[in-house]
Amino acid sequence: MTITPPALSVFESLESEVRSYCRGWPAVFDRAQGARLTDEDGHSYLDFFAGAGSLNYGHNNPVLKRALLDYIERDGITHGLDMATTAKRAFLETFQNVILRPRDLPYKVMFPGPTGTNAVESALKLARKVKGRESIVSFTNAFHGMSLGSLAVTGNAFKRAGAGIPLVHGTPMPFDNYLDGRVPDFLWFERLLEDQGSGLNKPAAVIVETVQGEGGINVARPEWLRALADLCRRRDMLLIVDDIQMGCGRTGAFFSFEEAGIVPDIVTVSKSISGYGLPMSLCLFKGELDVWEPGEHNGTFRGNNPAFVTATAALDAYWADGQMEKHTLARGEQVEQALLALCTEHGRLGASYRGRGLVWGLEFADPARASEVCARAFELGLLLETSGPKSEVVKLLPPLTITPDELDEGLRSLARAVAATV
Amino acid sequence: MTITPPALSVFESLESEVRSYCRGWPAVFDRAQGARLTDEDGHSYLDFFAGAGSLNYGHNNPVLKRALLDYIERDGITHGLDMATTAKRAFLETFQNVILRPRDLPYKVMFPGPTGTNAVESALKLARKVKGRESIVSFTNAFHGMSLGSLAVTGNAFKRAGAGIPLVHGTPMPFDNYLDGRVPDFLWFERLLEDQGSGLNKPAAVIVETVQGEGGINVARPEWLRALADLCRRRDMLLIVDDIQMGCGRTGAFFSFEEAGIVPDIVTVSKSISGYGLPMSLCLFKGELDVWEPGEHNGTFRGNNPAFVTATAALDAYWADGQMEKHTLARGEQVEQALLALCTEHGRLGASYRGRGLVWGLEFADPARASEVCARAFELGLLLETSGPKSEVVKLLPPLTITPDELDEGLRSLARAVAATV
Amino acid sequence: MTITPPALSVFESLESEVRSYCRGWPAVFDRAQGARLTDEDGHSYLDFFAGAGSLNYGHNNPVLKRALLDYIERDGITHGLDMATTAKRAFLETFQNVILRPRDLPYKVMFPGPTGTNAVESALKLARKVKGRESIVSFTNAFHGMSLGSLAVTGNAFKRAGAGIPLVHGTPMPFDNYLDGRVPDFLWFERLLEDQGSGLNKPAAVIVETVQGEGGINVARPEWLRALADLCRRRDMLLIVDDIQMGCGRTGAFFSFEEAGIVPDIVTVSKSISGYGLPMSLCLFKGELDVWEPGEHNGTFRGNNPAFVTATAALDAYWADGQMEKHTLARGEQVEQALLALCTEHGRLGASYRGRGLVWGLEFADPARASEVCARAFELGLLLETSGPKSEVVKLLPPLTITPDELDEGLRSLARAVAATV
Amino acid sequence: MTITPPALSVFESLESEVRSYCRGWPAVFDRAQGARLTDEDGHSYLDFFAGAGSLNYGHNNPVLKRALLDYIERDGITHGLDMATTAKRAFLETFQNVILRPRDLPYKVMFPGPTGTNAVESALKLARKVKGRESIVSFTNAFHGMSLGSLAVTGNAFKRAGAGIPLVHGTPMPFDNYLDGRVPDFLWFERLLEDQGSGLNKPAAVIVETVQGEGGINVARPEWLRALADLCRRRDMLLIVDDIQMGCGRTGAFFSFEEAGIVPDIVTVSKSISGYGLPMSLCLFKGELDVWEPGEHNGTFRGNNPAFVTATAALDAYWADGQMEKHTLARGEQVEQALLALCTEHGRLGASYRGRGLVWGLEFADPARASEVCARAFELGLLLETSGPKSEVVKLLPPLTITPDELDEGLRSLARAVAATV
């Protein structure tokens, strides 16, 4: 494939230097369908990034698209603040019937604003209000968002420095396997909690991702999550699972924590919840934690009703039975096989892989190689991003609805890209 | 009009107690067009709230709707992160040609995430980074958002308490006329800045709304804004105008600060920028302030491309010439006349009014009356909200595209609602 | 008088650059008595600084010296932590009988550590604990100490910058006459408190000096102090008077707030409380505020028993009757007359003066002149220091026990020093 | 010995509830000499607490006493701020000649105020200024003082809660052997530092006690201290040793870190530095760190000249040769033998001991026993205190000048007290 240098002028002259993805993928994208994007020059790209996990059902999924067009055409409420609307009711009822009830999850639903960081901010506020304490424990290499509350529990030093103020009230603890198995799980955390002289401000809550996406595809073991949930219960801390990237089926089950059999006190959901890439997020919490006063947290775009419509359609279409999870796990095995073969073939690159469901990471001994692989993949028409503190991990996040053939095609492109860097 | 008690059950049983507007407006809204909403029972409501200022062009504006449907139908990119897309380019070019160039505004454009508070957070981060200082000055009764950075510069004690941590790094100063003209403008602020012993941490920036919407429709005089801009310049502080609610033509001109003839260093825009009520926001800043590193601030829904499409259509349709501003100012005079008549007629209620363009506030001596008026108005099919620290002000925010007849109808309903509370 | 350059070598080579007074007074002092110090070359200096107000009874006051020597000779407890000792009991009883009871002051006594900043830190802790709030209001040009809690309520930007962290939880309000009488007292503060949208975190307490010593000898009027006390009462904030420099008779009465007829909730006392320049401080508070748990605040040198001994002797010798106050006020008038004459004579210097009791400030239109006057005074054998944010005020703090003749001598030296700068 | 209930009335009625030691030792102490105190009823007590380590040379040491009396009698400067005085020069020269030069220590000397917490506050300020970073790492069960800066790096939850504000900018790390040898030293700390995604705000400095006195007599191994010093050097953090309680010979050598062969960047010294129990402290730091501006940190009682006199006398009398260290180590062995015998005899109490030089801790399986032992010891005329987060450790801190016979007497009383609790 030949890439013509795209006409990026207005992006370069008018848009802020803060822009990022457009630098690694120098194309002007025009339209998309399923697992493929097309740029304005007609080049096609297979998408192994899926809007950073926001497009689990693919781009412009036709089922959702139909519902969305119908809703817009009939002048359904678009912007609804937190007014009751028919679209919101349909979403709430479907979410209850399709997601919460079958899993016996005792959650109230809050619409905290349409972005993930809105959900995290509201979760932290609520935890602090409930417990009357300021401190939050997060984990190494956590990523929870860019507004100040979320950023304070995010690990990345570069993002943190952007705050311009010292980020406080958060303390990092080692994520699963952070110390290479040399230390018993939670030994340090539990000692800090039990020791009245430890100097740890007692946390209101712990916030955790079951798989750290931005942090490098670090997968927490179910037993580690269960031990964490148990620790939180015993030590009077709320457990917040940030399921923004790993929820909505990314790891197989709808919620990524289902496999571990835990029931977090608070769950944040966003990215793929609307199913169509439209901004939407939820903060879920146990009923007894619903101590909010009316309007104590609010926001202009809480009621993005078109997102409710596509969200409802997605739940109906994909989660009424267990097919989605089976499909995801099958595709995940396909990825795993390919990564195993790839690592075996290129043994001297010191590559390793890990993942769950359809989120996988491929790490190289030389961190620079990951970026190089992504650059080569782009030339081959495959969108891939890195993650991890040194951008040392190639992250695989294809749409869950990708076909086996498309997946195979992408994995072959990845193999070619890796080979090209050797 | 008779209101049937709506079926709110799932809202009450499943949605968090934090829900708010749905309590004052007990209806389930189904569809909307222009200045009118219709609930599922077929009742029609005239909208004098306009999505808290997010629907300046009315609900489901047909011009924007057509562009949106076309875009969705042709599978245009929906979720684009900060990739270059054709929709984004069209927006950037149009924003440059229709808005920035004619006004000679030297701004770079940042997409900080789709909500207002994303924009404010990014503005504060940038100001702190540029100046290397933590402190921000805000104003009494300011409202800038619910995430921790924005909340720290927001005045409302109830919202602040929701933070669960002490909100620091912000210092309030008196907004225009806060002390009833008994104190020269900026006397206190300037003394604090010039006195090396004042105890004020030197601010990186000042953040201000030209008209405080949530704070009670407090209108800053142009000369006060000019003096503030001058103070910021002399004292090496950046001036941030939060134009999220008052921009996009709400006060007449596209930016609310144009009337004062100032050029803020940073401007936040959101709410009506997409024109269709879709989540979108911008952070604008002078080119020399663009010290961001790539990706230093990011967010999943920065590239809500459907919003770019409607935003572009809105700019093309309404801002290519000066008609919009004239129209808004004319409608504003219509409101002013009605409020004058209303206050005159009900002199003993101690009512007063103020406003600019199409944002007006009607304040009563008895704060409770404002809520009562809004409740009566709802019964009369008119959506009105209160604002101000004691909810003592009835806020009028009709769509800018409202017709003179609709406006008249609403104003008459308001008069009836007031009369009904006497 | 001829000054031989002193042998400062070890001070320059070994002591940190942070040293300060020794730079303005380049002599090596050896001994002192009453209002006079003698350096190692035998030069004598009249002391108008009195250890920054720590030597109200003069250097090495013979009455106190005798008690101190006796105590040391008989091996009285020197270091007593907070153990009960006979010396401490004598002090407590004397303080109760001589100071608290005659003034009907309802205070408990805390020994928070031997320095002023220990007292301020404990006062702020207690106020926060009692009220359950973090925020403290201080005043422009306040000085309360150098440890982080005290520094956060201190005005001086240079000292604040030394913290190395952003100083938060404090908000400055205008001290009496800060805005030159152009604004009604407490107009701004009260508006902030009464307005639920002001953005001021509700303060636990207000901390104030009745006369700001380091801040430039700013004298609060009694009516201003009364209005402040009233505001605190009405708005549920504790009133802390920091009487570290102005207490122990400096302004006439034992406590500087007596003239205003107020009874603060908390009072900090230090500097001259031991009478002999020995480290000692007290935190006094109303009985109902004594919510401390045993040991919740502690410190190694709380029980500096030699200081208790001299403190007891000083109270017995000087405060059993009203002579001390009369004497101080008479000497104060002597100073005032001299300053009046001086300002009159040198009218074109734009000099002004203010003060109470035996604390006076002489301010010059040209800030640099104050330092120059102090330098000339040193050459004339008079120790004088500047204060104020620009070091623009010559501060007069002679021992209260100074004789009329010594005072006259010093005032004449001051006049000569001023004349020498013209 | 029969204890008559002492007349504590004024302490109970007038002194704050915060008083602490006087509750455990219900006597009114009158005088003291060497290792013994006498109460007003004539009862004698052997002192195994030594002013919490402030009386290393015993109470009212006769050599120091003579120097002090001479100085007071000749009207030497008592209160000297930071003026140059002959007493200060003598101290500086002696400190240089007797302490710094023989150890080849490259320190400048700062007088930060007379208490330990003044020294810690200044050390933290300086570290933050030098590095331009806010964060400080401290250790579990650290104790550094009660003012807000020091308290933020102190571990004890009860003391921390007294702050009344969230204590931030500090992060605890595990002290030596905190995790019972199950984790390699500094594994966690180093991972946090090397990982750009760890979420640890990069520290300006690490503050450590070589033996944690208040924290439970936790002794850091020399190799652990060396590894810490190495980590600080490699990771660009300053190393602050808080030698307030363990310095001045408590562990044998003058500085407690000498045994490990490290040279900290900053050292805080207080408690026994004056030798006589008079308030005095020092902050020592490498010459290249002396970036203070004149007066950037100050304090009224920095120049407590009587303390300089006794400090000089103590250095001359005890540190001109190596006898002091030998003596201390010999006495330490005497203590160790006794504790070994005691633990052996009472094996079923699950007692263990640890210590260095003349600081020892005796821990019981049942935490309550430690307090009981101290109470019994008091009845037997022995002053002993507990330490540790649960007050589970009996702390032995006799004067270094204690005679072998006195030490033996005290150890026998301790044995009797332990036996009495069985």
Side-chain angles (χ1 to χ4, degrees), chain C residues 177-292:
Chain C
N177 203 35
Y178 188 66
L179 301 168
D180 306 317
R182 301 168 73 186
V183 180
D185 296 344
F186 304 110
L187 176 69
W188 168 233
F189 192 4
E190 181 128 30
R191 268 297 269 136
L192 285 172
L193 290 168
E194 85 189 353
D195 179 3
Q196 286 301 299
S198 71
L200 182 76
N201 293 334
K202 184 166 182 185
V206 173
I207 185 165
V208 69
E209 301 153 280
T210 63
V211 180
Q212 296 181 321
E214 300 306 306
I217 316 298
N218 306 312
V219 183
R221 290 161 301 143
E223 55 268 34
W224 187 86
L225 289 169
R226 281 191 293 271
L228 177 61
D230 182 58
L231 180 67
C232 287
R233 193 181 41 68
R234 284 186 290 109
R235 294 290 177 186
D236 185 32
M237 305 178 295
L238 296 178
L239 177 60
I240 305 169
V241 168
D242 180 342
D243 229 14
I244 289 172
Q245 193 170 53
M246 294 304 144
C248 304
R250 176 53 59 184
T251 64
F254 186 82
F255 292 112
S256 72
F257 54 79
E258 293 180 45
E259 187 185 357
I262 62 172
V263 179
D265 298 293
I266 305 179
V267 182
T268 56
V269 179
S270 184
K271 290 199 187 271
S272 277
I273 184 64
S274 84
Y276 207 73
L278 300 174
M280 175 175 170
S281 85
L282 303 175
C283 184
L284 313 174
F285 34 81
K286 291 179 176 170
E288 65 267 28
L289 304 180
D290 191 12
V291 298
W292 288 112

Side-chain angles (χ1 to χ4, degrees), chain A residues 7-8 10-11 13-23 25 27-33 37 40 49 51-52 54-55 59-60 65 68-69 71-79 81-86 88-89 92-93 96 100 107-111 114-115 117-118 121 125 128 133-134 143 146-149 151 158-159 162-166 169 270-271 276-280 285 290 292-298 300-302 304 306 383, chain B residues 7-8 10-11 13-23 25 27-33 37 40 49 51-52 54-55 59-60 65 68-69 71-79 81-86 88-89 92-93 96 100 107-111 114-115 117-118 121 125 128 133-134 143 146-149 151 158-159 162-166 169 270-271 276-280 285 290 292-298 300-302 304 306:
Chain A
L8 280 169
V10 77
F11 301 109
S13 64
L14 188 61
E15 197 179 349
S16 165
E17 294 298 326
V18 81
R19 68 193 187 280
S20 167
Y21 289 114
C22 56
R23 298 171 189 265
W25 298 331
V28 178
F29 297 95
D30 183 48
R31 58 193 193 282
Q33 228 303 308
L37 296 94
E40 59 180 357
F49 191 55
S54 300
L55 297 162
H59 291 268
N60 301 324
K65 175 177 170 178
L68 178 61
L69 287 171
Y71 189 75
I72 295 172
E73 275 162 4
R74 78 166 184 84
D75 284 332
I77 298 286
T78 298
H79 183 278
L81 293 160
D82 68 351
M83 295 187 277
T85 64
T86 46
K88 189 177 185 175
R89 184 169 53 199
L92 283 170
E93 287 174 351
Q96 186 168 44
L100 297 180
Y107 294 141
K108 298 290 285 285
V109 176
M110 175 184 181
F111 299 89
T115 71
T117 201
N118 295 138
E121 294 267 345
K125 281 184 179 183
R128 285 163 166 150
R133 303 195 285 264
E134 298 88 5
F143 184 93
M146 288 292 107
S147 51
L148 286 192
L151 193 51
F158 166 61
K159 306 279 189 201
I165 58 167
H169 304 305
S270 184
K271 291 201 187 269
Y276 207 75
L278 300 174
M280 176 175 170
F285 35 81
D290 191 12
W292 288 113
E293 294 291 318
E296 195 172 0
H297 177 98
N298 60 15
T300 296
F301 293 115
R302 280 166 294 169
N304 187 20
L383 299 187
Chain B
L8 280 169
V10 76
F11 302 108
S13 64
L14 188 60
E15 197 179 350
S16 164
E17 293 298 325
V18 80
R19 68 192 187 279
S20 167
Y21 288 115
C22 56
R23 297 171 189 266
W25 298 332
V28 178
F29 297 96
D30 182 48
R31 58 193 192 282
Q33 229 302 308
L37 297 94
E40 59 180 358
F49 191 54
S54 301
L55 296 163
H59 290 268
N60 300 325
K65 175 177 169 177
L68 179 61
L69 287 170
Y71 188 76
I72 295 172
E73 276 161 3
R74 78 165 183 86
D75 284 332
I77 298 286
T78 298
H79 182 277
L81 293 160
D82 68 352
M83 294 187 276
T85 64
T86 46
K88 189 176 186 177
R89 182 167 57 199
L92 283 170
E93 287 174 351
Q96 185 167 47
L100 297 181
Y107 295 140
K108 296 291 283 288
V109 176
M110 174 184 180
F111 298 90
T115 73
T117 201
N118 294 139
E121 294 267 345
K125 281 184 180 182
R128 285 165 166 149
R133 302 193 287 264
E134 297 89 4
F143 184 93
M146 287 293 106
S147 51
L148 285 191
L151 193 52
F158 166 61
K159 305 278 191 201
I165 58 166
H169 304 305
S270 184
K271 291 201 188 269
Y276 207 74
L278 300 175
M280 176 175 170
F285 36 81
D290 191 12
W292 288 112
E293 294 291 320
E296 194 172 1
H297 177 99
N298 61 14
T300 296
F301 294 114
R302 281 166 295 168
N304 187 19

